[in-house]
Amino acid sequence: MESQTKELQSFLQVIKERRSVRHYDPSVTISEQELKEILAEATLAPSAANLQPWKFLVITEQALKEQLLPIAYNQQQVADASAVIAVLGDLQAHVQVDKIYSASVEAGYMTEETKQVLVGNITAGFATLDTTARQNGVMTDCGLVSMQLMLAAKARGYDTVPMAGYNAGKFREMFAIPERYATVMLIAVGKAAQSGHPTFRLPTEDVTFWNGIAE
């Protein structure tokens, strides 16, 4: 119980101390290995049918960050943070269903028979979805992985800020993003040069309904 209590306290500390930081120390770099570890921890997030539709474009080269700066409406964290991670959603994520479920069979998580049924159902189901439905699904899954990425970074002592304010069309053009990928958000990652401001949160009674919606 003591170890569980310490784990809970550590988790609560991470979620309570995470802030949206907009001022970063430009002298701080994060190694490629540590960024890979943060991404691996982020991808433990859940996704519909475990299709894991997220893709990450990690931008660490200073020249590219400087090019991205005006596209992100001159938000200085784009240039000063150690990395900017673009979270993308794969609208064709179902094409990797066999790879994912075959790995689950190999790991002993399911039988081959179960895999065949699920792969068939998922493939047939995705064939009926239009682009809007697929986009809604990947935006949900990529929102989950994005939050987990920010918490994983905070647990390692780094700070983040999610950004929806950027010119998505110019961003796509700059990096030649294929149409199959939806742009979800940019996340700056680095060491804070200035702490993020604490913000007010509505009390839970103002945002929670129990067993029905009450006006």
Side-chain angles (χ1 to χ4, degrees):
M1 287 296 295
E2 183 178 348
S3 63
Q4 290 180 333
T5 300
K6 288 181 178 179
E7 288 177 1
L8 176 59
Q9 290 173 340
S10 296
F11 174 71
L12 292 176
Q13 183 177 0
V14 168
I15 63 173
K16 288 179 179 180
E17 292 184 357
R18 186 211 60 79
R19 295 281 187 272
S20 291
V21 169
R22 292 174 173 80
H23 300 279
Y24 290 86
D25 183 345
S27 69
V28 174
T29 60
I30 304 175
S31 70
E32 181 175 320
Q33 179 57 38
E34 193 162 19
L35 286 169
K36 286 179 178 178
E37 290 169 2
I38 290 170
L39 292 173
E41 290 153 8
T43 60
L44 297 174
S47 61
N50 194 33
L51 289 182
Q52 306 163 59
W54 40 71
K55 302 292 182 186
F56 306 104
L57 173 56
V58 183
I59 305 161
T60 57
E61 293 183 8
Q62 190 61 33
L64 288 176
K65 291 190 291 176
E66 295 289 348
Q67 283 182 254
L68 181 58
L69 184 59
I71 292 174
Y73 306 129
N74 295 308
Q75 298 178 79
Q76 191 58 37
Q77 64 264 25
V78 169
D80 291 345
S82 305
V84 175
I85 299 175
V87 182
L88 309 174
D90 187 356
L91 300 175
Q92 298 177 26
H94 64 288
V95 301
Q96 60 192 14
V97 64
D98 192 82
K99 176 181 178 180
I100 292 170
Y101 280 53
S102 292
S104 294
V105 172
E106 187 174 337
Y109 300 154
M110 67 175 63
T111 65
E112 178 65 27
E113 291 73 21
T114 299
K115 171 210 155 184
Q116 294 295 338
V117 171
L118 292 175
V119 167
N121 290 344
I122 291 167
T123 301
F126 265 80
T128 68
L129 298 179
D130 60 20
T131 300
T132 299
R134 293 187 186 193
Q135 181 146 339
N136 288 342
V138 301
M139 294 298 276
T140 297
D141 292 341
C142 289
L144 293 170
V145 82
S146 296
M147 187 70 250
Q148 189 138 312
L149 190 160
M150 290 185 281
L151 293 177
K154 187 61 182 176
R156 289 172 171 271
Y158 297 112
D159 297 285
T160 58
V161 61
M163 293 173 282
Y166 62 98
N167 187 313
K170 290 184 177 179
F171 175 79
R172 300 185 74 94
E173 182 180 346
M174 177 180 173
F175 290 100
I177 310 275
E179 284 300 313
R180 70 179 281 177
Y181 300 123
T183 53
V184 180
M185 69 178 76
L186 305 178
I187 302 175
V189 185
K191 277 283 189 180
Q194 181 179 318
S195 299
H197 297 294
T199 54
F200 171 75
R201 291 295 190 269
L202 291 166
T204 53
E205 56 265 28
D206 286 5
V207 298
T208 307
F209 299 107
W210 294 90
N211 304 314
I213 303 296
E215 295 295 335

